[in-house]
Amino acid sequence: MPLGPPSHHGDDVPLGLAGAEKHLYQVNLDAGQLQVQRAILQLRVDYLSQLNTQTMLLAGAAVGMLSSLELEAIYPEHEHERTFKKVLLAWIYVFFTSVSLGSSIWVLYTSNNLVNLATMSVLHASRLRDVQG
């Protein structure tokens, strides 16, 4: 039995030296393309991680704004000091801070899911086409 690569390539055609070189070229090409796709995926995951960091800062600021004493300074305690303008200002403050917090939580949830899906798709990919985006 001769040593070296098998003499057939699955479709019962003898490979020979030229066929083996062609097969090696295709394997190297696929490996290079897979490496490029992994690098692209890593860039996307890094971007989503950076987005998570920025969103966490924004969510923290929104929680800080809702829990701070600023709202008490805007919204008067005594009934005679409450004017439409002051009540509207307090309502706008709470509304937009809550929208900011809700949006931040949604972005965190979505980007974390995308990172997990990207990781799982690479782990379960069986062909190069499965990894390509």
Side-chain angles (χ1 to χ4, degrees):
M1 178 163 245
L3 295 176
S7 61
H8 292 83
H9 182 271
D11 54 357
D12 294 332
V13 176
L15 282 177
L17 184 58
E21 288 288 330
K22 183 178 179 184
H23 181 70
L24 180 62
Y25 170 77
Q26 188 61 43
V27 167
N28 286 336
L29 180 65
D30 288 346
Q33 288 176 345
L34 187 60
Q35 187 65 29
V36 167
Q37 292 303 320
R38 283 184 179 159
I40 289 171
L41 184 66
Q42 187 61 44
L43 288 173
R44 289 177 181 166
V45 167
D46 289 345
Y47 170 75
L48 288 171
S49 296
Q50 292 171 3
L51 186 65
N52 275 347
T53 302
Q54 295 169 4
T55 305
M56 281 300 295
L57 289 172
L58 186 61
V63 167
M65 288 175 67
L66 284 174
S67 65
S68 71
L69 298 177
E70 294 298 321
L71 186 58
E72 290 181 16
I74 294 173
Y75 194 75
E77 291 182 24
H78 304 292
E79 187 69 35
H80 68 279
E81 295 176 351
R82 293 183 188 157
T83 63
F84 178 74
K85 181 180 174 183
K86 289 184 179 183
V87 171
L88 181 65
L89 181 63
W91 186 86
I92 289 172
Y93 179 86
V94 170
F95 176 77
F96 283 110
T97 304
S98 299
V99 167
S100 173
L101 179 61
S103 299
S104 298
I105 291 172
W106 180 81
V107 168
L108 282 170
Y109 174 77
T110 304
S111 61
N112 279 330
N113 278 341
L114 288 173
V115 167
N116 290 336
L117 287 173
T119 304
M120 293 306 290
S121 68
V122 168
L123 290 176
H124 294 292
S126 59
R127 296 174 296 183
L128 179 63
R129 248 181 275 140
D130 295 339
V131 180
Q132 291 174 334

